[in-house]
Amino acid sequence: MPHPDGTILRDPSKLFFQSEYIRRLIIASYWVVIIAGIPLWWHITSIERLSLPTARVHAQAGNQLRFPVQIHLEDASLSSPLQQLMDDRIRRSPKAWEGLDVKVTTQNDAADSYTVRATEGVPLVSERTLAYPLRSGTLPMLADTLAALLIPPTDPHRVAPYSPRYRLAFTLLNEDAAAGSAISGWDISGAISHHLSPIFNSLSVLHNFTIESQVQFHAPLAFSPVSLDQGYGITPEDLTVFVNSAEWSLSSSVSNDPVLHFVVFIPSAARRPLHILDSNGLPSPSSAFLLPQWGGIVIYNPPADVQTTAPFPAPALTAVFTTFAAHLLALLGVPALPPSVSTSTSASDVLHTVPLTAWQLDALLRARALENARNAQGTLESIVSLVAQIENMPVGRDVRGDVQGALGALEEMYNTASLNRTLSHSATAQTLASRAFFSPGMLALLYFPAEHKYAVYTPLFASALVPLVATAVKEIKAWRKQRRGEVE
Amino acid sequence: MLVSFPRLLLFLFSWTWGILAATPSHEEIVGDFFAKNGAHGGSTSNHTNNWAVLVCSSRYWFNYRHMANALGMYRTVKRLGIPDSNIILMLADDAACNARNRFPGSVYANPGRGLDLYGDNIEVDYRGYEVTVENFLRVLTGRMEPSVPRSKRLLTDAHSNIFVYMTGHGGNEFLKFQDNEEISAFDIADAFEQMYQKKRYNEIFFMIDTCQANTMFSKFYSPNILATGSAKIDQNSYSYDNDADLGVSVIDRYTHYVLEFMEGINKTSHESVADLFATYDFAKIHSEPGVRSDLFKRPLADVRITDFLGGVSQVEVGAGTPAVAAGADDTAWAEDPAAPVETPHIAAESRWQGTENTTTETGPAAAKSHQWRGLRAWGGLLLLGALVGWVGWRK
């Protein structure tokens, strides 16, 4: 085909950008950009993995929290046999006595030591004192009592995991207010301040509580109670599914603090009285039950002669809240006093409004501090091992800071003598260790097999690099040939 | 779909007969089970709370069945007592409110639409584009921004049993999310390991319905995980049935038959996961479901379905005073081995399958309308062909 008029065919070698010097400059500039870009590319594609104090974490994990426990016994002739008895018990079950160094002394030198006084009456417990009939014959019993006070048995399945903050949700549920004689309201603030505030005050070292309450007028059960001669009954199997979570909304979700639920259930007027049945199908004397780590439920049957809807009668509310107080203590792991001893004010119905004895509170503080320390150590170890195991896991400044903070709190925990400070350090350590573990930046990049990486990078880079390499090789060849020609 | 009318009838007949024949033997199994475990009636599980993570990872209207899979599981775990606050439901698309849904606000898992799975009491925690691999892994590992609300978090502890159900389109060692990213078997395995290290679970029951599903749990290495999937490697997982009015498949086979089994379970049932695995049948599911229990410590016959899909089952009656509570341990929770579990079972079963039973009754009528529709379609096609031929001939 002939050229159209007006166009002139130019010699390619005469074009300005085809001059040897400029062409080589252009190719070289591409290479300069690529080589200069490699560090940047390396930087933006690599994951920030700051080094963690691994050695400190492992050293800390081996540490064991120790609590010196001094028992002051005035009678020197009894103190060394008692020491022996206590040592025997510790040797027999070292797991239960974990972390406790029990020393029986005759001098009362430490402020937080426990005192055993002689008495001729029933064993009495007050603040840090135990009055006990002291004779050489009663020493084994005394040792058992002390064991029950110092390391009370707890059920880890019932007790809610430690949290510095809890939300308590109180709910008054009318199964069906439309059926008549419902409970229209309750003096919740009065009941809480009267029955629960003493507990909140005693436990203020351990927890902060947020309280919410509500009244509901329609709360159907998900099963039908069985009909009895007198009233209705809930079988043990139905009791396990009593909470109709699909239809009852029991707590708000305003915060991420763990929630403990307390529910008063008013059966519909058509199904009263409603009893809890035991495994033999007989009504149980109790109308309350506890769901481990969840909360407590009380079933309240208004008296049959009440025909109108009215607020909660005060005496009944007292009974309900006495039960709730017991539930709360059980859920928070507050140990009960051993049955063989009683408190100085021993009216059983006000038992729960009496502030806790120092024996109980100390045992709880020790148990919670041990739990927290163990959790913090375990969490720190798992962070270190996961970071080593999962290569894509980033470790940022916040994680490293929290790990160091948790280690610091653990170290301080060992160096403090006060039980309250020990607990607060242990709680700090646990909170920081958890925060480090749950740091949003720690989410590992997704796993890609090697062939995926080639599949992604090859089309991207091969198409650009192959011509570049080819021209570079060609230019170098030409340049060497040229030089040889010049030399010859 | 192209099943001829007599074969359809035959199938329905044999199916009904199978159900009738199966019921007494099922009772026998339950009876044997009680006799065996009568001495120690309680569950052997060691948990105090139950959680469920239900994930549908597919988008688009034609993946309606995946939404229905996840919602069917949601209905079941809720019915068995897991509260909404303990269910994390992730739905990658909103089939209920899709413009193409002829039944707005509803999702059905049975041809004939007997049971609305969407209902009026549903809480979808992650919806649409929130369903990503990253968010799923954040839910599992707990690595959330502080601003994330409680309802979107998996707040489990060392006493939690977790049921993880996933459905979507997958392949060898991956599951597709939202048509633009994938989660690999390694990612889930690593996430479970992180949960194990932080003591975020007591036991996990992992169930997945996707093609080559069994590859998804092949990489797990953390203890106390029981896993089951719908199809082995190089096998597809199939859909169950179409609904003519919706125009799409409504549920997958594997999930359908699992849910059918679950309908026989109520909150107090004693059926074990071994019973569930025993119902797996290639003839029905058309793929070979797998079970992985080497990481799991308890014998499968002792693992109740309700250990994972139910609410908690331990109650301490009369924990009125701390002293009593200390004594009244788990012994307070005794159960009656003779408790009848069959009555609600049958009622519930008929509810799930009721729609199919009605299909049996309305079978001939439905088939007739089907035939008429086919005739009409062929007629239309013929007319079109004739017109095209005429135009072509004229030119």
Side-chain angles (χ1 to χ4, degrees):
Chain A
M1 229 165 102
H3 286 287
D5 299 332
T7 53
I8 315 146
L9 263 185
R10 293 204 288 186
D11 181 1
S13 61
K14 294 285 182 299
L15 291 170
F16 86 97
F17 53 85
Q18 287 291 12
S19 83
E20 214 161 62
Y21 172 70
I22 292 193
R23 193 177 65 231
R24 284 179 187 171
L25 214 59
I26 290 172
I27 294 168
S29 68
Y30 273 106
W31 281 101
V32 167
V33 167
I34 286 174
I35 291 164
I38 283 176
L40 180 73
W41 173 72
W42 186 258
H43 177 72
I44 57 171
T45 53
S46 62
I47 307 162
E48 186 187 30
R49 275 166 69 89
L50 301 177
S51 67
L52 290 174
T54 314
R56 264 175 86 197
V57 168
H58 288 307
Q60 194 57 257
N63 283 355
Q64 165 72 53
L65 200 52
R66 307 297 315 179
F67 300 103
V69 172
Q70 270 200 17
I71 297 168
H72 168 60
L73 191 67
E74 266 169 8
D75 193 339
S77 66
L78 293 176
S79 68
S80 74
L82 182 64
Q83 176 79 58
Q84 229 163 29
L85 285 168
M86 298 306 287
D87 288 347
D88 276 350
R89 277 165 179 72
I90 294 171
R91 218 170 305 123
R92 245 180 289 146
S93 51
K95 192 107 180 61
W97 289 89
E98 193 186 347
L100 264 72
D101 295 323
V102 181
K103 222 168 100 191
V104 183
T105 60
T106 48
Q107 307 103 25
N108 191 0
D109 48 0
D112 56 352
S113 72
Y114 303 100
T115 311
V116 178
R117 275 191 301 111
T119 177
E120 287 311 312
V122 287
L124 271 185
V125 162
S126 56
E127 245 335 74
R128 280 200 161 78
T129 323
L130 170 68
Y132 209 81
L134 281 180
R135 277 182 295 278
S136 55
T138 59
L139 273 189
M141 267 115 75
L142 173 62
D144 284 338
T145 309
L146 284 174
L149 284 168
L150 292 173
I151 47 153
T154 50
D155 179 358
H157 284 290
R158 183 195 306 138
V159 179
Y162 179 81
S163 160
R165 303 172 58 87
Y166 283 107
R167 208 140 48 82
L168 308 182
F170 294 88
T171 312
L172 172 61
L173 284 181
N174 288 287
E175 186 189 356
D176 186 7
S181 67
I183 303 284
S184 60
W186 51 349
D187 178 20
I188 179 76
S189 28
I192 287 172
S193 66
H194 194 253
H195 296 281
L196 300 180
S197 292
I199 298 177
F200 299 154
N201 291 336
S202 321
L203 298 179
S204 59
V205 197
L206 287 131
H207 311 289
N208 269 328
F209 296 96
T210 318
I211 295 170
E212 61 187 30
S213 76
Q214 62 170 339
V215 180
Q216 289 190 14
F217 295 93
H218 180 70
L221 291 173
F223 59 93
S224 306
V226 293
S227 182
L228 305 175
D229 296 340
Q230 285 192 324
Y232 296 82
I234 308 169
T235 62
E237 288 216 318
D238 283 340
L239 203 59
T240 62
V241 295
F242 182 85
V243 178
N244 185 4
S245 45
E247 284 170 272
W248 305 352
S249 54
L250 292 178
S251 63
S252 64
S253 51
V254 285
S255 72
N256 291 320
D257 302 331
V259 185
L260 298 177
H261 303 84
F262 297 92
V263 177
V264 191
F265 184 78
I266 318 291
S268 153
R271 286 207 286 231
R272 286 182 196 159
L274 185 63
H275 299 289
I276 295 172
L277 302 181
D278 60 17
S279 49
N280 301 320
L282 299 171
S284 138
S286 174
S287 60
F289 59 99
L290 186 104
L291 290 170
Q293 298 187 348
W294 187 88
I297 296 175
V298 177
I299 297 170
Y300 172 68
N301 293 299
D305 51 336
V306 177
Q307 296 299 325
T308 51
T309 295
F312 219 110
L317 199 60
T318 301
V320 166
F321 268 80
T322 310
T323 312
F324 280 165
H327 284 165
L328 179 64
L329 291 178
L331 290 167
L332 294 177
V334 179
L337 286 173
S340 57
V341 302
S342 44
T343 45
S344 27
T345 49
S346 65
S348 63
D349 56 340
V350 291
L351 178 74
H352 314 300
T353 57
V354 170
L356 306 167
T357 63
W359 294 90
Q360 287 167 289
L361 197 60
D362 288 356
L364 180 63
L365 286 170
R366 282 192 295 265
R368 288 301 201 180
L370 272 174
E371 177 193 337
N372 289 343
R374 223 177 282 135
N375 281 346
Q377 288 164 346
T379 306
L380 289 176
E381 274 200 303
S382 60
I383 292 174
V384 166
S385 76
L386 282 174
V387 167
Q389 191 183 328
I390 301 173
E391 283 166 8
N392 286 336
M393 187 178 272
V395 181
R397 270 168 215 287
D398 53 339
V399 174
R400 189 165 69 172
D402 282 344
V403 168
Q404 282 166 345
L407 283 169
L410 281 175
E411 274 152 21
E412 271 183 68
M413 183 184 76
Y414 291 114
N415 297 331
T416 176
S418 139
L419 204 47
N420 288 357
R421 299 285 305 276
T422 306
L423 178 91
S424 75
H425 286 312
S426 76
T428 313
Q430 198 211 352
T431 311
L432 288 179
S434 283
R435 199 170 72 184
F437 189 95
F438 290 132
S439 161
M442 276 253 273
L443 197 74
L445 289 188
L446 296 182
Y447 169 86
F448 288 111
E451 53 266 43
H452 279 213
K453 286 177 190 154
Y454 295 134
V456 169
Y457 281 127
T458 312
L460 206 64
F461 288 137
S463 52
L465 280 180
V466 166
L468 269 178
V469 170
T471 45
V473 167
K474 220 165 89 184
E475 280 306 319
I476 289 168
K477 263 188 186 163
W479 174 68
R480 283 177 61 180
K481 201 169 155 192
Q482 209 176 12
R483 219 172 53 152
R484 227 176 299 145
E486 276 169 18
V487 168
E488 274 163 18
Chain B
M1 265 324 288
L2 295 168
V3 188
S4 66
F5 175 55
R7 265 180 67 190
L8 187 78
L9 261 188
L10 191 72
F11 170 71
L12 285 170
F13 174 74
S14 66
W15 177 82
T16 322
W17 176 250
I19 287 291
L20 287 174
T23 315
S25 70
H26 183 73
E27 267 167 2
E28 275 166 33
I29 292 166
V30 173
D32 287 353
F33 183 77
F34 284 150
K36 237 179 0 203
N37 298 283
H40 56 98
S43 156
T44 53
S45 183
N46 203 15
H47 66 287
T48 58
N49 55 73
N50 281 90
W51 287 77
V53 182
L54 313 172
V55 186
C56 155
S57 67
S58 326
R59 210 173 167 71
Y60 304 125
W61 171 244
F62 55 81
N63 291 319
Y64 183 95
R65 62 181 186 280
H66 294 155
M67 263 70 83
N69 286 347
L71 287 167
M73 283 294 166
Y74 173 78
R75 173 182 173 274
T76 301
V77 296
K78 214 166 148 178
R79 184 176 61 80
L80 292 175
I82 302 186
D84 252 331
S85 57
N86 289 18
I87 303 174
I88 310 290
L89 177 60
M90 304 177 104
L91 290 184
D93 204 348
D94 191 357
C97 299
N98 192 297
R100 279 191 260 183
N101 193 345
R102 266 192 67 186
F103 307 94
S106 305
V107 173
Y108 298 100
N110 285 78
R113 304 180 303 281
L115 182 60
D116 179 13
L117 293 176
Y118 215 69
D120 50 6
N121 192 359
I122 182 165
E123 195 182 301
V124 185
D125 300 294
Y126 289 80
R127 187 191 286 278
Y129 288 120
E130 285 179 336
V131 182
T132 58
V133 172
E134 182 184 328
N135 278 346
F136 174 65
L137 292 177
R138 285 193 190 282
V139 164
L140 290 185
T141 55
R143 300 217 161 92
M144 302 268 192
E145 297 294 337
S147 59
V148 174
R150 188 186 184 87
S151 61
K152 291 193 168 192
R153 288 173 185 254
L154 187 69
L155 297 167
T156 54
D157 57 40
H159 301 295
S160 308
N161 274 11
I162 311 177
F163 172 59
V164 180
Y165 174 83
M166 303 186 84
T167 180
H169 290 285
N172 190 356
E173 292 172 5
F174 72 87
L175 177 72
K176 198 168 73 166
F177 268 64
Q178 295 276 4
D179 247 15
N180 58 16
E181 57 178 345
E182 291 156 9
I183 191 168
S184 78
F186 295 89
D187 295 319
I188 302 185
D190 281 347
F192 282 166
E193 172 66 11
Q194 294 175 52
M195 292 172 77
Y196 171 70
Q197 292 270 356
K198 187 66 182 83
K199 301 196 178 70
R200 271 169 74 73
Y201 69 84
N202 174 49
E203 286 169 343
I204 289 181
F205 182 26
F206 180 82
M207 182 183 280
I208 179 158
D209 187 350
T210 177
C211 299
Q212 316 193 38
N214 300 353
T215 57
M216 283 304 280
F217 53 73
S218 58
K219 304 296 170 201
F220 290 175
Y221 54 96
S222 314
N224 298 326
I225 301 180
L226 176 64
T228 182
S230 59
K232 67 177 191 181
I233 187 164
D234 294 335
Q235 249 181 7
N236 287 339
S237 186
Y238 292 99
S239 65
Y240 176 64
D241 213 345
N242 284 22
D243 181 90
D245 289 320
L246 283 167
V248 285
S249 307
V250 286
I251 196 163
D252 282 326
R253 284 188 169 271
Y254 171 78
T255 303
H256 173 82
Y257 286 107
V258 168
L259 288 175
E260 193 177 289
F261 174 82
M262 294 299 177
E263 284 303 302
I265 307 282
N266 62 34
K267 286 178 180 177
T268 49
S269 296
H270 290 205
E271 271 90 343
S272 70
V273 289
D275 296 335
L276 168 68
F277 298 153
T279 62
Y280 287 171
D281 181 2
F282 182 81
K284 289 189 206 159
I285 300 175
H286 297 186
S287 59
E288 288 167 63
V291 175
R292 183 165 175 207
S293 58
D294 58 323
L295 299 166
F296 202 71
K297 296 206 181 72
R298 290 192 287 150
L300 297 190
D302 293 350
V303 182
R304 289 186 188 168
I305 296 288
T306 51
D307 285 352
F308 289 100
L309 280 83
V312 206
S313 55
Q314 278 162 332
V315 168
E316 295 173 22
V317 181
T321 65
V324 174
D329 226 344
D330 289 356
T331 46
W333 180 63
E335 45 186 271
D336 187 5
V341 293
E342 281 304 295
T343 334
H345 171 168
I346 287 160
E349 190 167 50
S350 62
R351 195 172 171 205
W352 182 256
Q353 291 160 348
T355 54
E356 290 172 53
N357 288 337
T358 48
T359 326
T360 327
E361 287 157 23
T362 59
K368 200 171 265 176
S369 82
H370 196 82
Q371 272 180 336
W372 168 237
R373 221 177 288 163
L375 219 72
R376 226 168 37 181
W378 280 113
L381 205 67
L382 270 176
L383 192 71
L384 192 75
L387 278 171
V388 168
W390 179 64
V391 167
W393 181 71
R394 279 284 301 270
K395 216 171 182 182

